Protein backbone atom coordinates (compact mmCIF):
# COMPACT_ATOMS: atom_id res chain seq x y z
CA UNK A 1 0.00 0.00 0.00
CA UNK A 2 2.69 2.40 1.01
CA UNK A 3 4.78 1.44 -2.01
CA UNK A 4 1.84 2.15 -4.28
CA UNK A 5 1.27 5.49 -2.59
CA UNK A 6 4.96 6.25 -2.90
CA UNK A 7 4.88 5.76 -6.68
CA UNK A 8 1.80 7.99 -6.86
CA UNK A 9 3.55 10.74 -4.96
CA UNK A 10 6.64 10.50 -7.14
CA UNK A 11 4.38 11.24 -10.10
CA UNK A 12 3.32 14.50 -8.49
CA UNK A 13 6.57 16.57 -8.80
CA UNK A 14 6.67 16.73 -12.61
CA UNK A 15 2.98 17.56 -12.66
CA UNK A 16 3.45 20.30 -10.05
CA UNK A 17 6.41 21.66 -11.99
CA UNK A 18 4.39 21.84 -15.19
CA UNK A 19 1.36 23.32 -13.42
CA UNK A 20 3.59 25.85 -11.67
CA UNK A 21 5.10 27.03 -14.94
CA UNK A 22 1.71 27.14 -16.63
CA UNK A 23 0.31 29.12 -13.69
CA UNK A 24 2.98 31.78 -13.88
CA UNK A 25 2.91 31.96 -17.68
CA UNK A 26 -0.89 32.15 -17.76
CA UNK A 27 -0.70 34.99 -15.26
CA UNK A 28 1.41 37.03 -17.69
CA UNK A 29 1.27 40.67 -16.73
CA UNK A 30 2.67 43.97 -17.90
CA UNK A 31 6.44 44.21 -17.43
CA UNK A 32 7.93 47.50 -16.19
CA UNK A 33 11.14 48.27 -18.05
CA UNK A 34 14.03 50.29 -16.70
CA UNK A 35 17.48 51.28 -17.86
CA UNK A 36 18.48 49.37 -20.98
CA UNK A 37 16.03 46.47 -20.43
CA UNK A 38 14.39 47.35 -23.72
CA UNK A 39 17.59 46.46 -25.61
CA UNK A 40 16.85 42.75 -25.19
CA UNK A 41 14.52 43.12 -28.23
CA UNK A 42 17.02 45.06 -30.37
CA UNK A 43 17.62 42.10 -32.71
CA UNK A 44 14.97 39.45 -32.06
CA UNK A 45 11.72 38.79 -30.25
CA UNK A 46 8.61 40.94 -29.88
CA UNK A 47 7.49 43.49 -27.30
CA UNK A 48 4.59 45.95 -27.33
CA UNK A 49 5.69 48.92 -25.22
CA UNK A 50 3.68 51.76 -23.72
CA UNK A 51 5.69 54.93 -23.09
CA UNK A 52 3.79 56.98 -20.50
CA UNK A 53 3.90 59.65 -17.80
CA UNK A 54 2.23 59.29 -14.41
CA UNK A 55 0.41 62.64 -14.73
CA UNK A 56 -1.05 61.85 -18.18
CA UNK A 57 -4.84 61.30 -18.00
CA UNK A 58 -4.94 59.40 -21.32
CA UNK A 59 -2.27 57.04 -19.98
CA UNK A 60 -4.41 56.36 -16.93
CA UNK A 61 -7.49 55.73 -19.06
CA UNK A 62 -5.49 53.22 -21.09
CA UNK A 63 -4.29 51.33 -18.00
CA UNK A 64 -7.17 48.76 -17.77
CA UNK A 65 -6.97 47.91 -21.48
CA UNK A 66 -3.18 47.62 -21.29
CA UNK A 67 -3.35 45.33 -18.26
CA UNK A 68 -5.97 43.20 -20.05
CA UNK A 69 -3.67 42.99 -23.04
CA UNK A 70 -0.89 41.83 -20.72
CA UNK A 71 -3.10 39.00 -19.48
CA UNK A 72 -4.20 37.90 -22.98
CA UNK A 73 -1.07 38.61 -25.02
CA UNK A 74 -0.31 36.24 -27.91
CA UNK A 75 2.52 33.77 -27.24
CA UNK A 76 5.96 35.26 -27.75
CA UNK A 77 4.86 38.90 -27.31
CA UNK A 78 5.83 40.76 -24.14
CA UNK A 79 3.54 43.58 -23.04
CA UNK A 80 5.61 46.24 -21.31
CA UNK A 81 5.68 49.87 -20.26
CA UNK A 82 8.27 52.59 -19.68
CA UNK A 83 7.76 55.48 -17.26
CA UNK A 84 9.23 58.44 -19.13
CA UNK A 85 9.56 60.46 -15.93
CA UNK A 86 12.01 57.85 -14.65
CA UNK A 87 13.54 56.59 -17.91
CA UNK A 88 14.13 59.84 -19.80
CA UNK A 89 16.96 58.57 -21.98
CA UNK A 90 14.98 55.54 -23.20
CA UNK A 91 12.01 57.71 -24.17
CA UNK A 92 14.30 60.19 -25.92
CA UNK A 93 15.92 57.35 -27.90
CA UNK A 94 12.52 56.23 -29.20
CA UNK A 95 11.46 59.77 -30.13
CA UNK A 96 8.58 59.92 -27.66
CA UNK A 97 6.93 63.34 -27.87
CA UNK A 98 3.40 62.60 -26.62
CA UNK A 99 1.74 60.30 -24.13
CA UNK A 100 0.86 57.56 -24.29
CA UNK A 101 3.10 56.38 -27.16
CA UNK A 102 2.65 52.74 -28.17
CA UNK A 103 5.39 50.98 -30.11
CA UNK A 104 5.69 47.38 -31.24
CA UNK A 105 9.29 46.16 -31.34
CA UNK A 106 9.61 43.10 -33.57
CA UNK A 107 12.76 41.51 -34.94
CA UNK A 108 14.78 44.71 -34.52
CA UNK A 109 12.13 46.95 -36.14
CA UNK A 110 9.87 49.51 -34.42
CA UNK A 111 6.22 49.98 -35.47
CA UNK A 112 4.27 52.91 -34.00
CA UNK A 113 0.60 52.37 -33.17
CA UNK A 114 -1.95 55.00 -34.18
CA UNK A 115 -5.61 54.28 -33.64
CA UNK A 116 -8.34 53.57 -31.13
CA UNK A 117 -6.84 52.21 -27.91
CA UNK A 118 -9.18 49.34 -27.08
CA UNK A 119 -8.06 45.75 -26.36
CA UNK A 120 -9.34 44.34 -29.67
CA UNK A 121 -7.58 46.98 -31.79
CA UNK A 122 -4.36 46.65 -29.81
CA UNK A 123 -4.37 42.88 -30.13
CA UNK A 124 -5.19 43.09 -33.85
CA UNK A 125 -2.24 45.44 -34.32
CA UNK A 126 0.32 43.14 -32.73
CA UNK A 127 -1.04 40.11 -34.60
CA UNK A 128 -1.03 41.51 -38.14
CA UNK A 129 -1.93 45.18 -38.56
CA UNK A 130 1.59 46.32 -37.76
CA UNK A 131 2.56 45.06 -41.21
CA UNK A 132 0.71 48.04 -42.76
CA UNK A 133 3.00 50.47 -40.90
CA UNK A 134 6.38 51.51 -42.22
CA UNK A 135 8.88 50.40 -39.56
CA UNK A 136 11.82 52.28 -38.16
CA UNK A 137 15.09 50.63 -37.13
CA UNK A 138 15.65 49.92 -33.46
CA UNK A 139 17.43 53.04 -32.14
CA UNK A 140 21.03 52.68 -31.12
CA UNK A 141 22.22 53.62 -27.65
CA UNK A 142 23.53 57.20 -27.87
CA UNK A 143 27.01 58.10 -26.54
CA UNK A 144 26.96 58.82 -22.81
CA UNK A 145 27.97 62.42 -23.37
CA UNK A 146 25.03 63.06 -25.67
CA UNK A 147 22.67 61.39 -23.25
CA UNK A 148 23.88 63.28 -20.23
CA UNK A 149 24.11 66.74 -21.76
CA UNK A 150 20.42 67.71 -21.61
CA UNK A 151 20.11 66.49 -18.03
CA UNK A 152 23.09 68.47 -16.84
CA UNK A 153 22.66 71.69 -18.65
CA UNK A 154 19.50 71.64 -20.74
CA UNK A 155 21.39 73.30 -23.58
CA UNK A 156 20.05 72.84 -27.09
CA UNK A 157 22.15 71.89 -30.12
CA UNK A 158 21.59 75.32 -31.60
CA UNK A 159 22.80 76.98 -28.44
CA UNK A 160 25.95 74.86 -28.35
CA UNK A 161 26.66 75.74 -31.97
CA UNK A 162 26.50 79.45 -31.21
CA UNK A 163 29.58 79.13 -29.06
CA UNK A 164 31.04 82.08 -27.18
CA UNK A 165 28.41 84.62 -28.20
CA UNK A 166 25.66 82.46 -26.76
CA UNK A 167 27.52 82.08 -23.47
CA UNK A 168 27.97 85.84 -23.22
CA UNK A 169 24.27 86.38 -23.84
CA UNK A 170 23.42 83.98 -21.00
CA UNK A 171 25.89 85.76 -18.72
CA UNK A 172 24.44 89.18 -19.51
CA UNK A 173 20.99 87.85 -18.88
CA UNK A 174 21.91 86.57 -15.44
CA UNK A 175 24.05 89.47 -14.22
CA UNK A 176 22.56 92.46 -16.01
CA UNK A 177 24.38 94.83 -18.34
CA UNK A 178 27.05 96.63 -16.38
CA UNK A 179 25.14 97.08 -13.14
CA UNK A 180 25.97 93.73 -11.62
CA UNK A 181 22.32 93.11 -10.57
CA UNK A 182 20.47 90.04 -11.85
CA UNK A 183 17.54 90.68 -14.16
CA UNK A 184 14.35 89.16 -12.78
CA UNK A 185 12.71 86.61 -15.05
CA UNK A 186 9.62 87.92 -16.83
CA UNK A 187 8.17 84.41 -17.13
CA UNK A 188 5.48 83.87 -14.50
CA UNK A 189 5.53 80.47 -12.76
CA UNK A 190 1.91 79.34 -12.41
CA UNK A 191 0.47 76.48 -10.38
CA UNK A 192 -2.69 74.92 -8.99
CA UNK A 193 -2.85 77.54 -6.26
CA UNK A 194 -2.85 80.69 -8.43
CA UNK A 195 -3.59 79.68 -12.03
CA UNK A 196 -7.25 80.68 -12.35
CA UNK A 197 -6.93 84.02 -10.58
CA UNK A 198 -3.80 85.01 -12.55
CA UNK A 199 -5.06 84.17 -16.05
CA UNK A 200 -8.54 85.62 -15.42
CA UNK A 201 -7.37 88.99 -16.74
CA UNK A 202 -5.24 89.89 -19.74
CA UNK A 203 -3.72 87.74 -22.48
CA UNK A 204 -1.45 84.84 -21.55
CA UNK A 205 0.90 82.65 -23.58
CA UNK A 206 1.59 79.57 -21.43
CA UNK A 207 4.24 76.87 -21.72
CA UNK A 208 3.36 73.52 -20.14
CA UNK A 209 6.60 71.67 -19.39
CA UNK A 210 8.35 69.07 -17.24
CA UNK A 211 11.79 69.52 -15.63
CA UNK A 212 13.06 66.29 -17.22
CA UNK A 213 11.85 67.14 -20.77
CA UNK A 214 14.80 67.71 -23.11
CA UNK A 215 12.76 69.75 -25.64
CA UNK A 216 11.48 71.94 -22.80
CA UNK A 217 15.03 72.63 -21.64
CA UNK A 218 16.16 73.37 -25.18
CA UNK A 219 13.61 76.18 -25.57
CA UNK A 220 14.05 77.60 -22.06
CA UNK A 221 16.40 80.43 -23.09
CA UNK A 222 14.25 81.37 -26.11
CA UNK A 223 11.15 81.46 -23.89
CA UNK A 224 12.87 83.87 -21.50
CA UNK A 225 14.02 86.01 -24.44
CA UNK A 226 10.48 86.12 -25.82
CA UNK A 227 9.17 87.40 -22.47
CA UNK A 228 11.74 90.22 -22.59
CA UNK A 229 10.38 91.35 -25.98
CA UNK A 230 7.09 92.46 -24.35
CA UNK A 231 4.98 90.91 -27.17
CA UNK A 232 1.50 92.20 -27.99
CA UNK A 233 -1.53 90.58 -29.59
CA UNK A 234 -3.38 91.72 -32.72
CA UNK A 235 -5.34 94.26 -30.67
CA UNK A 236 -2.23 95.85 -29.19
CA UNK A 237 -2.67 94.24 -25.79
CA UNK A 238 0.38 93.12 -23.82
CA UNK A 239 0.85 89.33 -23.86
CA UNK A 240 2.01 87.92 -20.54
CA UNK A 241 4.34 84.91 -20.64
CA UNK A 242 3.91 82.08 -18.14
CA UNK A 243 4.76 78.45 -17.59
CA UNK A 244 3.35 75.47 -15.67
CA UNK A 245 5.31 72.46 -14.40
CA UNK A 246 2.83 69.65 -15.13
CA UNK A 247 4.66 67.19 -12.86
CA UNK A 248 3.92 69.38 -9.82
CA UNK A 249 0.46 70.61 -10.85
CA UNK A 250 -1.69 67.60 -11.62
CA UNK A 251 -4.94 69.56 -11.60
CA UNK A 252 -3.85 71.92 -14.37
CA UNK A 253 -2.34 69.08 -16.43
CA UNK A 254 -5.58 67.10 -16.17
CA UNK A 255 -7.87 70.07 -16.89
CA UNK A 256 -5.90 71.08 -20.00
CA UNK A 257 -5.43 67.46 -21.14
CA UNK A 258 -1.68 67.87 -21.65
CA UNK A 259 -0.34 64.95 -23.70
CA UNK A 260 2.93 66.17 -25.18
CA UNK A 261 5.74 68.39 -23.93
CA UNK A 262 6.30 71.19 -24.29
CA UNK A 263 2.75 72.34 -25.05
CA UNK A 264 2.10 76.03 -25.77
CA UNK A 265 -1.34 77.62 -25.42
CA UNK A 266 -2.53 81.19 -25.91
CA UNK A 267 -5.29 82.15 -23.44
CA UNK A 268 -7.49 85.18 -24.00
CA UNK A 269 -11.09 86.27 -23.52
CA UNK A 270 -12.13 82.89 -22.12
CA UNK A 271 -10.73 80.96 -25.11
CA UNK A 272 -7.48 79.08 -25.71
CA UNK A 273 -5.52 78.40 -28.90
CA UNK A 274 -2.87 75.70 -29.38
CA UNK A 275 0.45 76.68 -30.93
CA UNK A 276 1.75 73.98 -33.30
CA UNK A 277 4.54 75.82 -35.19
CA UNK A 278 8.30 75.92 -34.77
CA UNK A 279 9.70 76.89 -31.37
CA UNK A 280 11.28 80.27 -32.19
CA UNK A 281 10.65 83.81 -30.98
CA UNK A 282 9.74 85.08 -34.48
CA UNK A 283 7.15 82.32 -34.91
CA UNK A 284 5.68 82.96 -31.45
CA UNK A 285 5.43 86.70 -32.19
CA UNK A 286 3.48 85.99 -35.41
CA UNK A 287 1.22 83.56 -33.57
CA UNK A 288 0.19 85.90 -30.73
CA UNK A 289 -0.13 88.85 -33.15
CA UNK A 290 -2.96 87.17 -35.04
CA UNK A 291 -1.68 83.83 -36.25
CA UNK A 292 -3.79 82.14 -33.60
CA UNK A 293 -6.89 83.04 -35.63
CA UNK A 294 -5.91 80.30 -38.07
CA UNK A 295 -6.32 77.66 -35.35
CA UNK A 296 -9.37 76.23 -33.64
CA UNK A 297 -10.37 77.80 -30.32
CA UNK A 298 -11.63 76.00 -27.22
CA UNK A 299 -13.03 77.24 -23.93
CA UNK A 300 -10.49 77.57 -21.13
CA UNK A 301 -11.17 74.75 -18.64
CA UNK A 302 -11.87 75.54 -15.02
CA UNK A 303 -9.05 74.89 -12.56
CA UNK A 304 -10.02 74.98 -8.89
CA UNK A 305 -7.55 76.81 -6.71
CA UNK A 306 -6.45 75.46 -3.34
CA UNK A 307 -6.76 78.22 -0.76
CA UNK A 308 -6.72 77.96 3.00
CA UNK A 309 -6.10 74.85 5.13
CA UNK A 310 -7.30 71.43 4.06
CA UNK A 311 -9.81 70.11 6.61
CA UNK A 312 -10.04 66.69 4.96
CA UNK A 313 -9.02 63.85 7.31
CA UNK A 314 -6.67 61.29 5.77
CA UNK A 315 -7.60 57.72 6.74
CA UNK A 316 -5.73 54.49 6.06
CA UNK A 317 -5.70 50.85 7.12
CA UNK A 318 -3.95 51.67 10.39
CA UNK A 319 -6.37 54.33 11.69
CA UNK A 320 -9.68 53.88 9.86
CA UNK A 321 -11.62 51.93 12.50
CA UNK A 322 -9.95 53.70 15.44
CA UNK A 323 -11.00 57.15 14.18
CA UNK A 324 -14.37 56.40 12.59
CA UNK A 325 -15.55 53.59 14.90
CA UNK A 326 -17.63 52.65 11.87
CA UNK A 327 -18.53 49.13 12.99
CA UNK A 328 -19.90 50.24 16.37
CA UNK A 329 -21.24 53.68 15.39
CA UNK A 330 -20.00 54.94 18.75
CA UNK A 331 -18.66 58.31 19.77
CA UNK A 332 -16.76 59.99 16.93
CA UNK A 333 -19.76 61.28 14.97
CA UNK A 334 -20.81 60.92 11.33
CA UNK A 335 -18.25 60.38 8.58
CA UNK A 336 -18.40 61.17 4.86
CA UNK A 337 -15.58 59.19 3.23
CA UNK A 338 -14.09 59.42 -0.26
CA UNK A 339 -12.24 56.38 -1.64
CA UNK A 340 -9.88 57.49 -4.42
CA UNK A 341 -6.89 56.45 -6.53
CA UNK A 342 -4.03 58.88 -7.32
CA UNK A 343 -4.21 58.06 -11.05
CA UNK A 344 -8.00 58.55 -11.32
CA UNK A 345 -8.91 61.61 -13.42
CA UNK A 346 -12.41 61.92 -11.92
CA UNK A 347 -10.89 61.79 -8.43
CA UNK A 348 -8.57 64.67 -9.30
CA UNK A 349 -11.50 66.75 -10.57
CA UNK A 350 -13.39 66.02 -7.36
CA UNK A 351 -10.42 66.87 -5.07
CA UNK A 352 -10.98 70.66 -4.81
CA UNK A 353 -14.73 70.14 -4.40
CA UNK A 354 -14.07 67.67 -1.59
CA UNK A 355 -11.82 70.21 0.13
CA UNK A 356 -14.64 72.73 -0.09
CA UNK A 357 -17.10 70.24 1.40
CA UNK A 358 -14.69 69.50 4.25
CA UNK A 359 -14.34 73.20 5.04
CA UNK A 360 -18.11 73.76 4.91
CA UNK A 361 -19.00 70.79 7.15
CA UNK A 362 -16.11 71.27 9.60
CA UNK A 363 -17.23 70.84 13.20
CA UNK A 364 -20.46 69.06 12.22
CA UNK A 365 -19.51 66.12 10.02
CA UNK A 366 -16.12 64.46 9.57
CA UNK A 367 -15.06 64.58 5.91
CA UNK A 368 -12.29 62.12 5.07
CA UNK A 369 -10.53 60.35 2.21
CA UNK A 370 -8.82 56.99 1.73
CA UNK A 371 -6.23 56.15 -0.91
CA UNK A 372 -7.60 52.77 -1.99
CA UNK A 373 -4.38 51.84 -3.80
CA UNK A 374 -2.40 51.81 -0.55
CA UNK A 375 -5.16 51.04 1.98
CA UNK A 376 -6.25 47.87 0.22
CA UNK A 377 -7.58 46.23 3.38
CA UNK A 378 -10.10 49.00 3.99
CA UNK A 379 -11.01 49.19 0.30
CA UNK A 380 -11.70 45.44 0.23
CA UNK A 381 -13.71 45.67 3.44
CA UNK A 382 -16.10 48.19 1.90
CA UNK A 383 -16.16 46.49 -1.51
CA UNK A 384 -14.65 49.42 -3.40
CA UNK A 385 -14.49 48.58 -7.12
CA UNK A 386 -14.70 52.01 -8.81
CA UNK A 387 -13.26 55.47 -8.23
CA UNK A 388 -14.24 57.79 -6.79
CA UNK A 389 -16.54 56.00 -4.32
CA UNK A 390 -18.36 57.98 -1.62
CA UNK A 391 -19.77 56.43 1.56
CA UNK A 392 -21.59 58.11 4.46
CA UNK A 393 -21.21 56.38 7.85
CA UNK A 394 -23.70 56.91 10.69
CA UNK A 395 -24.58 54.79 13.75
CA UNK A 396 -23.13 51.55 12.35
CA UNK A 397 -24.88 51.98 8.98
CA UNK A 398 -23.49 53.11 5.66
CA UNK A 399 -25.08 54.96 2.75
CA UNK A 400 -23.54 54.99 -0.74
CA UNK A 401 -23.64 58.31 -2.58
CA UNK A 402 -24.14 58.22 -6.35
CA UNK A 403 -25.47 61.71 -7.08
CA UNK A 404 -23.93 64.84 -8.63
CA UNK A 405 -20.43 65.69 -7.47
CA UNK A 406 -21.03 69.34 -6.78
CA UNK A 407 -20.26 70.83 -3.37
CA UNK A 408 -23.88 71.80 -2.73
CA UNK A 409 -25.19 68.33 -3.62
CA UNK A 410 -22.60 66.57 -1.46
CA UNK A 411 -23.25 68.84 1.51
CA UNK A 412 -27.04 68.38 1.19
CA UNK A 413 -26.59 64.59 1.19
CA UNK A 414 -24.42 64.64 4.33
CA UNK A 415 -26.81 66.97 6.14
CA UNK A 416 -29.85 64.74 5.74
CA UNK A 417 -30.19 63.64 2.12
CA UNK A 418 -28.95 60.17 3.04
CA UNK A 419 -32.16 59.54 5.01
CA UNK A 420 -34.03 58.79 1.79
CA UNK A 421 -31.77 55.79 1.05
CA UNK A 422 -31.85 52.23 2.37
CA UNK A 423 -28.75 51.79 4.54
CA UNK A 424 -26.46 48.78 4.63
CA UNK A 425 -24.70 47.48 7.73
CA UNK A 426 -21.07 48.50 8.03
CA UNK A 427 -18.85 45.49 7.19
CA UNK A 428 -17.06 44.06 10.23
CA UNK A 429 -13.40 44.74 10.89
CA UNK A 430 -11.31 42.13 9.05
CA UNK A 431 -10.30 39.20 11.24
CA UNK A 432 -6.73 38.01 11.66
CA UNK A 433 -7.45 35.11 9.28
CA UNK A 434 -8.79 37.36 6.52
CA UNK A 435 -5.85 39.72 6.99
CA UNK A 436 -3.48 36.77 6.63
CA UNK A 437 -5.18 35.62 3.44
CA UNK A 438 -5.09 39.18 2.07
CA UNK A 439 -1.37 39.46 2.83
CA UNK A 440 -0.84 36.07 1.18
CA UNK A 441 -2.63 37.24 -1.98
CA UNK A 442 -0.41 40.32 -2.14
CA UNK A 443 2.68 38.17 -1.62
CA UNK A 444 1.67 35.73 -4.37
CA UNK A 445 0.89 38.61 -6.76
CA UNK A 446 4.25 40.30 -6.10
CA UNK A 447 6.06 36.96 -6.45
CA UNK A 448 4.36 36.34 -9.80
CA UNK A 449 5.43 39.76 -11.04
CA UNK A 450 9.04 39.23 -9.99
CA UNK A 451 9.17 35.78 -11.56
CA UNK A 452 7.64 37.11 -14.78
CA UNK A 453 10.19 39.91 -14.99
CA UNK A 454 12.90 37.33 -14.33
CA UNK A 455 11.70 34.90 -16.99
CA UNK A 456 10.45 37.18 -19.77
CA UNK A 457 12.68 36.91 -22.79
CA UNK A 458 15.13 34.69 -20.89
CA UNK A 459 15.28 30.95 -21.70
CA UNK A 460 17.58 30.41 -18.73
CA UNK A 461 14.98 32.09 -16.52
CA UNK A 462 12.25 29.74 -17.76
CA UNK A 463 14.54 26.72 -17.16
CA UNK A 464 15.27 27.99 -13.66
CA UNK A 465 11.55 28.30 -12.97
CA UNK A 466 10.99 24.68 -14.12
CA UNK A 467 13.80 23.49 -11.84
CA UNK A 468 12.33 25.44 -8.90
CA UNK A 469 8.92 23.95 -9.64
CA UNK A 470 10.37 20.44 -9.87
CA UNK A 471 12.29 20.78 -6.59
CA UNK A 472 9.20 22.26 -4.95
CA UNK A 473 7.14 19.34 -6.24
CA UNK A 474 9.65 16.80 -4.90
CA UNK A 475 9.62 18.49 -1.49
CA UNK A 476 5.83 18.50 -1.31
CA UNK A 477 5.70 14.86 -2.42
CA UNK A 478 8.15 13.81 0.29
CA UNK A 479 6.22 15.71 2.94
CA UNK A 480 2.95 14.09 1.84
CA UNK A 481 4.59 10.66 1.74
CA UNK A 482 6.00 11.05 5.27
CA UNK A 483 2.66 12.19 6.67
CA UNK A 484 0.86 9.30 4.94
CA UNK A 485 3.33 6.78 6.35
CA UNK A 486 2.88 8.21 9.83
CA UNK A 487 -0.89 8.14 9.49
CA UNK A 488 -0.81 4.52 8.20
CA UNK A 489 1.43 3.54 11.10
CA UNK A 490 -1.00 5.05 13.64
CA UNK A 491 -3.90 3.24 11.98
CA UNK A 492 -2.02 -0.08 12.06
CA UNK A 493 -1.11 0.39 15.73
CA UNK A 494 -4.71 1.19 16.59
CA UNK A 495 -5.93 -1.90 14.74
CA UNK A 496 -3.35 -4.04 16.58
CA UNK A 497 -4.52 -2.70 19.97
CA UNK A 498 -8.17 -3.32 19.14
CA UNK A 499 -7.28 -6.84 17.95
CA UNK A 500 -5.53 -7.64 21.22
CA UNK A 501 -8.51 -6.35 23.23
CA UNK A 502 -10.88 -8.57 21.30
Amino acid sequence: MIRKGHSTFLGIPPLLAVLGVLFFVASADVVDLSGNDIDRWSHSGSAFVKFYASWCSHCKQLEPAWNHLGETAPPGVTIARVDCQQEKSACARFGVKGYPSLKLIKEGQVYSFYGRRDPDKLREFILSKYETIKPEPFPAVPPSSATDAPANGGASKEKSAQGEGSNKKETDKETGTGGGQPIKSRVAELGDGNFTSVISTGVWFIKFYAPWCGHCKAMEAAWEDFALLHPTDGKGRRVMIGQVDVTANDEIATAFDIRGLPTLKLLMDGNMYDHVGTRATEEWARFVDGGYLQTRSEKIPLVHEHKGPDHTILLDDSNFEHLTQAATGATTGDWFVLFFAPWCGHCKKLAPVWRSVAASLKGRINVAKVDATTSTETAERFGIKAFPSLIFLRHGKMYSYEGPRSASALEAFAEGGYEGLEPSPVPPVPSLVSKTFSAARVFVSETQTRLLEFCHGSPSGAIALCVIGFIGGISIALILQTRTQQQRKRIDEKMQREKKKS
Side-chain angles (χ1 to χ4, degrees):
M1 288 279 286
I2 294 177
R3 187 175 295 124
K4 183 178 179 181
H6 180 70
S7 63
T8 302
F9 286 132
L10 288 180
I12 290 177
L15 176 62
L16 288 175
V18 172
L19 288 177
V21 173
L22 288 176
F23 172 73
F24 285 112
V25 171
S27 308
D29 206 343
V30 178
V31 178
D32 288 296
L33 301 179
S34 60
N36 294 323
D37 288 348
I38 203 167
D39 290 332
R40 72 176 69 166
W41 295 285
S42 60
H43 298 293
S44 61
S46 299
F48 198 16
V49 185
K50 176 181 75 172
F51 296 87
Y52 73 100
S54 60
W55 50 262
C56 163
S57 59
H58 289 281
C59 304
K60 293 165 186 172
Q61 291 171 6
L62 177 61
E63 189 88 3
W66 200 252
N67 289 336
H68 176 73
L69 187 64
E71 296 168 359
T72 61
V77 179
T78 300
I79 307 301
R81 61 191 173 198
V82 175
D83 183 349
C84 289
Q85 291 180 270
Q86 303 296 326
E87 307 299 333
K88 307 176 187 65
S89 59
C91 295
R93 278 177 62 194
F94 281 83
V96 175
K97 297 179 181 179
Y99 305 115
S101 286
L102 310 181
K103 297 179 184 289
L104 175 65
I105 303 170
K106 190 175 181 70
E107 306 300 333
Q109 300 291 316
V110 181
Y111 303 82
S112 296
F113 175 85
Y114 300 99
R116 197 167 72 245
R117 305 187 195 103
D118 62 59
D120 291 338
K121 291 292 183 184
L122 294 171
R123 185 178 177 84
E124 182 182 354
F125 178 76
I126 58 181
L127 287 173
S128 61
K129 282 291 185 181
Y130 73 89
E131 296 174 348
T132 64
I133 304 295
K134 183 179 179 181
E136 298 177 358
F138 192 94
V141 179
S144 58
S145 58
T147 304
D148 294 338
N152 294 334
S156 66
K157 294 178 181 178
E158 293 85 349
K159 184 176 173 183
S160 298
Q162 288 172 1
E164 188 176 344
S166 175
N167 293 333
K168 182 178 184 299
K169 181 178 179 180
E170 285 298 301
T171 304
D172 289 343
K173 188 173 175 182
E174 293 174 359
T175 62
T177 53
Q181 297 297 321
I183 298 176
K184 185 179 179 181
S185 172
R186 295 187 180 273
V187 177
E189 194 71 38
L190 306 178
D192 289 340
N194 67 352
F195 188 86
T196 299
S197 57
V198 170
I199 67 151
S200 61
T201 58
V203 180
W204 285 86
F205 197 21
I206 308 292
K207 175 184 72 173
F208 298 85
Y209 74 99
W212 50 260
C213 164
H215 293 291
C216 304
K217 292 177 181 178
M219 65 171 281
E220 189 174 343
W223 194 245
E224 288 279 356
D225 289 344
F226 187 58
L228 293 171
L229 294 176
H230 305 295
T232 57
D233 70 353
K235 300 178 181 179
R237 295 177 296 182
R238 169 80 179 278
V239 178
M240 307 300 295
I241 308 301
Q243 60 188 21
V244 175
D245 178 356
V246 296
T247 65
N249 298 282
D250 285 340
E251 218 165 283
I252 297 176
T254 301
F256 279 83
D257 192 22
I258 303 301
R259 299 182 60 187
L261 299 174
T263 291
L264 307 180
K265 292 179 181 286
L266 181 66
L267 314 180
M268 62 165 66
D269 304 326
N271 295 314
M272 64 179 182
Y273 305 84
D274 287 336
H275 177 269
V276 293
T278 57
R279 302 185 188 114
T281 54
E282 297 82 1
E283 166 61 25
W284 295 333
R286 283 193 294 269
F287 179 74
V288 301
D289 193 31
Y292 65 88
L293 295 173
Q294 306 301 316
T295 64
R296 183 169 60 92
S297 68
E298 296 180 31
K299 291 294 182 182
I300 297 175
L302 177 64
V303 177
H304 295 277
E305 292 185 358
H306 297 167
K307 293 182 177 180
D310 186 359
H311 298 288
T312 308
I313 302 168
L314 184 61
L315 301 175
D316 55 35
D317 286 343
S318 65
N319 66 7
F320 187 93
E321 188 59 32
H322 174 70
L323 292 179
T324 67
Q325 299 184 24
T328 61
T331 59
T332 60
D334 300 338
W335 289 78
F336 202 5
V337 184
L338 161 68
F339 290 86
F340 73 97
W343 49 259
C344 164
H346 292 293
C347 302
K348 291 182 178 181
K349 291 179 181 177
L350 179 60
V353 177
W354 198 243
R355 286 169 58 101
S356 174
V357 171
S360 179
L361 298 179
K362 184 178 183 295
R364 292 176 291 145
I365 295 171
N366 301 295
V367 178
K369 60 184 178 181
V370 177
D371 182 348
T373 64
T374 56
S375 297
T376 54
E377 181 184 301
T378 304
E380 288 181 10
R381 174 186 175 188
F382 285 89
I384 303 302
K385 297 180 180 179
F387 304 112
S389 287
L390 300 165
I391 294 177
F392 187 74
L393 304 172
R394 178 179 172 82
H395 299 327
K397 303 289 185 181
M398 69 177 192
Y399 306 79
S400 295
Y401 180 79
E402 298 179 356
R405 295 178 189 145
S406 63
S408 57
L410 292 166
E411 291 168 18
F413 178 81
E415 292 178 316
Y418 62 87
E419 294 175 352
L421 298 179
E422 187 70 25
S424 301
V426 172
V429 178
S431 64
L432 179 60
V433 173
S434 63
K435 289 182 179 180
T436 301
F437 275 109
S438 178
R441 283 198 301 271
V442 172
F443 174 76
V444 169
S445 176
E446 291 178 349
T447 302
Q448 289 179 16
T449 301
R450 292 192 182 100
L451 284 172
L452 281 169
E453 292 177 352
F454 175 67
C455 291
H456 261 294
S458 172
S460 59
I463 293 172
L465 182 57
C466 289
V467 171
I468 292 170
F470 187 82
I471 294 173
I474 289 284
S475 302
I476 294 172
L478 292 174
I479 292 170
L480 290 174
Q481 179 182 345
T482 302
R483 292 191 63 181
T484 302
Q485 288 175 336
Q486 292 172 346
Q487 185 178 10
R488 173 57 60 185
K489 184 178 179 180
R490 285 195 298 269
I491 293 173
D492 289 342
E493 290 174 350
K494 183 178 180 182
M495 290 177 66
Q496 289 293 334
R497 286 195 301 269
E498 291 177 352
K499 188 175 180 180
K500 287 180 180 179
K501 288 181 181 179
S502 61

